[in-house]
């Protein structure tokens, strides 16, 4: 998987904290981990799996297991500079709940990325949902990661929920 274009979406600063929420850690997880390590930042991974053995084998320092697509992930307010949802948004039973959690945990001017396998994401509906939850400047970005559709938006200071 070619990830140069994907990594160009990120501009981490020293001490930044990114979170990837996924059903399957892969090369994007590894690449993000290396990117964050290079700036003394941190990558946290939320892994939606019931398989304890798979979770235990995940080679990430900060990880969280969620065993049901009905449950939200846990995160502290304003604790993250970027959240990447990969292969989870369409499967989660309450996507609104995870968007609300994402909004709360993101710092002001932070970004959210939703990645789903090509052709499985209702792009216009996803953009409308992001807008409903006060994420601004949503963009559909094609051909950044082979086989995936990607939507990116931003939490802006003094907008929306005031967090």
């Amino acid at each position: 998987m070619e990830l140069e274009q994907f990594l160009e979406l990120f501009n981490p600063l020293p001490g930044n904290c990114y979170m990837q929420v996924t059903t399957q850690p892969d090369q994007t997880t590894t690449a993000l981990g290396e990117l964050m390590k290079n700036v003394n930042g941190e990558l946290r991974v939320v892994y939606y799996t019931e398989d304890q053995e798979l979770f235990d084998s995940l080679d990430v320092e900060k990880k969280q297991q969620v065993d049901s697509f009905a449950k939200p992930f846990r995160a502290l307010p304003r604790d993250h500079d970027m959240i990447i949802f990969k292969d989870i948004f369409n499967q989660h039973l309450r996507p609104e709940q995870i968007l609300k959690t994402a909004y709360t945990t993101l710092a002001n001017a932070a970004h959210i990325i939703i990645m789903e396998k090509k052709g499985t994401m209702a792009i216009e509906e996803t953009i409308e949902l992001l807008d409903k939850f006060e994420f601004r400047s949503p963009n559909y970005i094609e051909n950044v990661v082979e086989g995936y559709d990607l939507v990116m938006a931003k939490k802006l200071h003094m907008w929306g929920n005031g967090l």
Side-chain angles (χ1 to χ4, degrees):
M1 184 185 298
E2 183 59 50
L3 296 176
E4 275 183 41
Q5 284 186 302
F6 175 69
L7 292 176
E8 288 177 4
L9 296 173
F10 307 95
N11 185 26
L13 300 171
N16 275 177
C17 183
Y18 287 8
M19 176 182 276
Q20 185 182 47
V21 182
T22 185
T23 59
Q24 188 59 52
D26 62 4
Q27 294 165 322
T28 61
T29 312
T30 305
L32 286 168
E34 288 298 314
L35 182 69
M36 297 310 292
K37 194 180 299 181
N38 289 339
V39 296
N40 293 320
E42 182 177 55
L43 175 67
R44 298 174 184 164
V45 177
V46 176
Y47 191 2
Y48 274 79
T49 182
E50 293 179 357
D51 189 330
Q52 188 64 43
E53 195 172 312
L54 277 176
F55 176 73
D56 291 341
S57 69
L58 178 59
D59 186 26
V60 175
E61 191 174 317
K62 298 268 186 161
K63 59 187 178 178
Q64 176 186 153
Q65 180 180 13
V66 182
D67 62 5
S68 168
F69 289 116
K71 296 179 182 177
F73 58 95
R74 294 178 321 276
L76 295 173
R78 294 188 186 191
D79 201 32
H80 294 89
D81 301 289
M82 173 83 70
I83 290 188
I84 304 99
F85 289 118
K86 186 184 153 295
D87 294 326
I88 184 68
F89 203 72
N90 287 342
Q91 293 185 58
H92 202 279
L93 299 177
R94 299 181 187 143
E96 296 87 0
Q97 188 178 39
I98 61 174
L99 278 181
K100 186 176 181 179
T101 303
Y103 189 90
T104 301
T105 194
L106 284 171
N108 289 324
H111 288 90
I112 183 172
I113 294 177
I114 300 173
M115 298 174 62
E116 293 289 337
K117 288 190 177 28
K118 196 166 260 324
T120 64
M121 180 172 23
I123 293 164
E124 288 303 317
E125 289 174 21
T126 301
I127 288 172
E128 288 174 17
L129 193 57
L130 285 167
D131 188 56
K132 178 181 174 183
F133 281 85
E134 308 295 344
F135 290 100
R136 301 297 174 221
S137 304
N139 290 297
Y140 168 57
I141 306 171
E142 292 186 83
N143 302 321
V144 172
V145 177
E146 186 177 332
Y148 279 87
D149 288 322
L150 189 144
V151 174
M152 184 173 188
K154 189 172 195 168
K155 175 185 172 181
L156 295 175
H157 179 62
M158 300 301 289
W159 283 70
N161 299 316
L163 295 173

